[in-house]
Amino acid sequence: MNNAIEFLKTQVGKDATNSPSPLMQWLNPILISVKEDNLIFEYEIRKEWLNPSGSLHGGITAAIVDDTIGATVFSFGEPSAYTTINNVVDYFSTAHEGQTIIAETQTIKKGKKIINVQCEIWNNSKARLIAKGYSNLLRIEKQI
Amino acid sequence: MNNAIEFLKTQVGKDATNSPSPLMQWLNPILISVKEDNLIFEYEIRKEWLNPSGSLHGGITAAIVDDTIGATVFSFGEPSAYTTINNVVDYFSTAHEGQTIIAETQTIKKGKKIINVQCEIWNNSKARLIAKGYSNLLRIEKQI
Amino acid sequence: MNNAIEFLKTQVGKDATNSPSPLMQWLNPILISVKEDNLIFEYEIRKEWLNPSGSLHGGITAAIVDDTIGATVFSFGEPSAYTTINNVVDYFSTAHEGQTIIAETQTIKKGKKIINVQCEIWNNSKARLIAKGYSNLLRIEKQI
Amino acid sequence: MNNAIEFLKTQVGKDATNSPSPLMQWLNPILISVKEDNLIFEYEIRKEWLNPSGSLHGGITAAIVDDTIGATVFSFGEPSAYTTINNVVDYFSTAHEGQTIIAETQTIKKGKKIINVQCEIWNNSKARLIAKGYSNLLRIEKQI
């Protein structure tokens, strides 16, 4: 295990106060599970996350997809950095204020230059798939 | 002109306090320009919008893309509602805290059932394209 | 079981001579397996399928993804028809003339109006993922 | 002008017999126009390009999008090669056997590592947008 995944394992059951991502601190999920290539987070839908119809805004869903995929790549603990090339989200159903939703990531491909990671957004019981997203990320050498 | 676009025209030069979208209220852009099928918004990048590298988080970019596309569809003033089928964002460069970015939408196709709208995210001078996104939306009959 | 999936089961082990899709006839895969929401096809890469570098052209990969997703939706045997809204393909590695590749589909979501199906393209041994694609399809009433 | 774009200019008004892409030879468009970052091709829809409904198969549309984007990147005449990371196609309307369709590409962003190019598919009179696609491509050093 690398240092990054070890750090994440210490955060299981906790909120995102210690996250290096300011956006994740604001979204403030609870980290539920940490496995290799696979993270699970839980979010409570807040008022600022709603669309004009009063349900979960697709923009927040996209933000959660992108942010949890970033955390998954962080968990690899690689010396290289990754930059997101694209982010695709397909929307299937919705959720409402105060409800709890689950984001679960899975690494699909670790290429030499390109990594592909997906994220599923589920309702609390994981009976209903709310959205599914995918990103390609490019490995870049870290500046020293 | 329909009522929706007339309302938007009254908001030019103002922030999003009057927006029907709670997420847009939180992102709080200034509405710069309202034309048929084409809206322009201006955002100031805040601390909660950053990624661990201290630059604009791709998740916020995706949220802006999705939210401004929603506003564009609202501007059509149609009796039907629209639900987002998917949202795709391609990332090209980045921006930093305190900087101003521009989101400009353009309707690509208005089909009978499916509408396609794009959104470009530019730096303040519109010299550098930061990201470009696209959504397909499905027309659904409003519940009465 | 519906008539469509029963027909497909009679085609296992055969090429696409009997396919209702002229493009599938031209691609001419062998149908390997038929399960609910999940089809497997095998293709031999031909000269016309190559790019200027002499490897499998991404356009053919996209055509295979789209065509096998169409066959999967056909296998539902529904009275409604479906039209493809979008098709996304992520490319991970490549393949060469004369090699055999595998396309395996999986239905991700069956909504009332929108269906989402994915397709993975593998090398012959399924050790290497060549590409992965996704489509959203819209249910439309068949014209009588 | 570089050698690649000079070669393409000699091909205007001709079919794809001289194309370095075996797939383009098979699709066999006529090259209509060559400008910097912008190519136009014309295709006649053949029987093998149809779906079970007898209209243009989305898989062929995706192949045309991918192939013309590849030709556009070729027209840059760069010493580096490019590999396609992803290909996204949104479908808006359809076309039928024997009809002529137009594919027009446009380079959206030329980054140091990533290039983004779009392709619109139009009916013959350019009155009706049939589909629109986008690709991200990664610059890779050519092997010597």
Side-chain angles (χ1 to χ4, degrees):
Chain A
M1 275 207 310
N2 60 68
N3 286 345
I5 204 166
E6 281 180 23
F7 165 73
L8 285 171
K9 282 180 180 285
T10 69
Q11 300 298 306
V12 171
K14 300 182 185 171
D15 70 14
T17 305
N18 297 323
S19 170
S21 164
L23 177 60
M24 187 172 278
Q25 288 185 24
W26 182 75
L27 292 167
N28 203 23
I30 294 170
L31 181 55
I32 300 297
S33 164
V34 176
K35 291 183 191 160
E36 198 180 332
D37 296 335
N38 166 242
L39 303 180
I40 304 179
F41 293 90
E42 187 183 285
Y43 298 77
E44 191 184 324
I45 298 173
R46 303 200 304 257
K47 189 177 187 339
E48 304 97 309
W49 300 11
L50 303 181
N51 63 26
S53 304
S55 49
L56 177 61
H57 197 300
I60 291 292
T61 307
I64 289 172
V65 165
D66 193 71
D67 194 42
T68 58
I69 288 174
T72 306
V73 171
F74 168 78
S75 78
F76 300 161
E78 296 196 4
S80 302
Y82 284 87
T83 182
T84 304
I85 298 167
N86 74 324
N87 182 33
V88 178
V89 182
D90 294 325
Y91 297 97
F92 303 129
S93 65
T94 190
H96 298 283
E97 191 179 349
Q99 291 182 338
T100 300
I101 55 173
I102 306 293
E104 174 162 6
T105 64
Q106 186 64 48
T107 307
I108 302 300
K109 178 81 179 189
K110 275 187 191 172
K112 283 180 197 164
K113 290 183 179 167
I114 304 287
I115 283 184
N116 185 275
V117 185
Q118 75 175 30
C119 175
E120 294 177 343
I121 309 288
W122 292 88
N123 76 333
N124 190 26
S125 64
K126 290 202 68 171
R128 184 166 48 87
L129 185 61
I130 293 173
K132 190 171 179 183
Y134 323 89
S135 278
N136 292 295
L137 300 104
L138 174 66
R139 174 179 285 150
I140 50 174
E141 298 308 312
K142 271 186 183 160
Q143 294 169 337
I144 302 174
Chain B
M1 277 207 310
N2 61 67
N3 287 344
I5 204 167
E6 281 180 23
F7 165 73
L8 285 172
K9 282 180 180 286
T10 69
Q11 299 299 306
V12 171
K14 299 182 185 170
D15 71 14
T17 305
N18 297 323
S19 170
S21 164
L23 177 60
M24 187 171 278
Q25 288 185 24
W26 183 76
L27 292 167
N28 204 24
I30 294 171
L31 181 55
I32 300 296
S33 165
V34 176
K35 291 181 189 161
E36 199 180 332
D37 297 334
N38 166 241
L39 303 180
I40 304 179
F41 293 90
E42 186 183 287
Y43 298 78
E44 190 184 324
I45 298 173
R46 304 199 304 255
K47 188 176 186 344
E48 303 97 311
W49 300 11
L50 303 182
N51 64 25
S53 305
S55 49
L56 177 61
H57 197 300
I60 291 292
T61 307
I64 290 173
V65 165
D66 193 71
D67 195 42
T68 58
I69 288 174
T72 306
V73 171
F74 168 78
S75 79
F76 301 160
E78 297 196 2
S80 302
Y82 285 88
T83 182
T84 304
I85 298 167
N86 73 324
N87 183 32
V88 179
V89 182
D90 294 323
Y91 297 96
F92 303 129
S93 66
T94 191
H96 299 283
E97 191 179 350
Q99 291 182 338
T100 300
I101 55 174
I102 306 293
E104 174 162 7
T105 64
Q106 186 64 49
T107 307
I108 301 300
K109 178 80 179 190
K110 274 187 192 173
K112 283 178 197 163
K113 291 183 179 165
I114 304 287
I115 283 184
N116 185 275
V117 186
Q118 75 175 30
C119 175
E120 294 176 343
I121 309 288
W122 293 87
N123 75 332
N124 190 27
S125 64
K126 291 201 68 172
R128 184 166 48 87
L129 185 61
I130 293 173
K132 189 171 180 182
Y134 323 88
S135 277
N136 291 294
L137 299 105
L138 175 66
R139 174 179 285 150
I140 51 174
E141 299 308 313
K142 272 187 184 159
Q143 295 168 338
I144 303 174
Chain C
M1 276 205 312
N2 62 67
N3 287 343
I5 203 166
E6 281 179 24
F7 165 73
L8 285 172
K9 282 180 180 286
T10 69
Q11 300 299 307
V12 171
K14 299 182 183 170
D15 71 13
T17 306
N18 297 322
S19 170
S21 164
L23 176 60
M24 187 172 278
Q25 288 185 24
W26 182 75
L27 292 168
N28 203 24
I30 295 170
L31 182 54
I32 300 296
S33 164
V34 175
K35 291 182 190 159
E36 200 180 332
D37 296 336
N38 166 242
L39 303 179
I40 304 179
F41 294 89
E42 186 183 285
Y43 298 77
E44 190 184 324
I45 299 173
R46 303 200 305 257
K47 187 175 188 339
E48 304 98 310
W49 300 11
L50 303 182
N51 63 25
S53 305
S55 49
L56 178 61
H57 196 299
I60 291 292
T61 306
I64 290 174
V65 165
D66 193 72
D67 195 42
T68 57
I69 287 174
T72 306
V73 172
F74 168 78
S75 79
F76 301 161
E78 296 196 2
S80 303
Y82 284 87
T83 183
T84 304
I85 298 167
N86 73 325
N87 182 33
V88 179
V89 182
D90 294 324
Y91 297 97
F92 303 130
S93 66
T94 190
H96 298 284
E97 191 179 350
Q99 291 182 338
T100 301
I101 54 173
I102 306 293
E104 175 163 6
T105 64
Q106 186 63 49
T107 307
I108 302 299
K109 178 80 179 189
K110 274 187 191 171
K112 284 178 196 164
K113 292 183 178 166
I114 304 287
I115 283 185
N116 186 275
V117 186
Q118 76 175 29
C119 175
E120 294 177 342
I121 309 288
W122 293 87
N123 75 334
N124 191 26
S125 64
K126 290 201 71 171
R128 184 166 48 87
L129 185 61
I130 293 173
K132 190 171 180 183
Y134 323 89
S135 278
N136 291 295
L137 300 104
L138 175 66
R139 173 178 286 149
I140 51 174
E141 298 309 313
K142 272 186 183 160
Q143 294 168 339
I144 302 174
Chain D
M1 276 207 309
N2 61 67
N3 286 345
I5 204 166
E6 281 180 23
F7 165 73
L8 286 172
K9 281 180 180 286
T10 70
Q11 300 299 305
V12 171
K14 299 181 184 170
D15 71 14
T17 305
N18 297 322
S19 171
S21 164
L23 176 60
M24 186 172 278
Q25 289 186 23
W26 182 76
L27 292 167
N28 203 24
I30 295 170
L31 182 55
I32 301 297
S33 165
V34 175
K35 291 181 190 159
E36 199 181 332
D37 296 335
N38 165 241
L39 302 179
I40 304 179
F41 293 90
E42 187 183 285
Y43 297 78
E44 191 184 324
I45 298 173
R46 302 199 306 256
K47 189 177 186 340
E48 303 97 311
W49 300 10
L50 303 182
N51 63 26
S53 305
S55 49
L56 177 61
H57 197 299
I60 291 292
T61 308
I64 290 173
V65 165
D66 193 71
D67 194 43
T68 58
I69 287 173
T72 306
V73 172
F74 168 78
S75 79
F76 300 160
E78 295 195 4
S80 303
Y82 283 87
T83 183
T84 304
I85 297 166
N86 73 324
N87 182 32
V88 179
V89 182
D90 294 325
Y91 297 97
F92 303 129
S93 66
T94 189
H96 299 285
E97 191 179 349
Q99 290 182 338
T100 301
I101 54 172
I102 307 292
E104 175 163 7
T105 64
Q106 186 64 49
T107 306
I108 301 299
K109 178 80 179 189
K110 274 187 192 171
K112 284 179 197 164
K113 292 184 178 164
I114 304 287
I115 283 185
N116 186 274
V117 185
Q118 75 174 30
C119 175
E120 294 176 342
I121 309 288
W122 292 88
N123 75 333
N124 191 26
S125 64
K126 291 202 69 172
R128 184 166 47 86
L129 185 61
I130 293 173
K132 190 171 180 182
Y134 322 89
S135 278
N136 291 294
L137 300 104
L138 175 65
R139 173 179 286 149
I140 50 174
E141 298 308 313
K142 272 188 183 158
Q143 294 167 338
I144 302 175

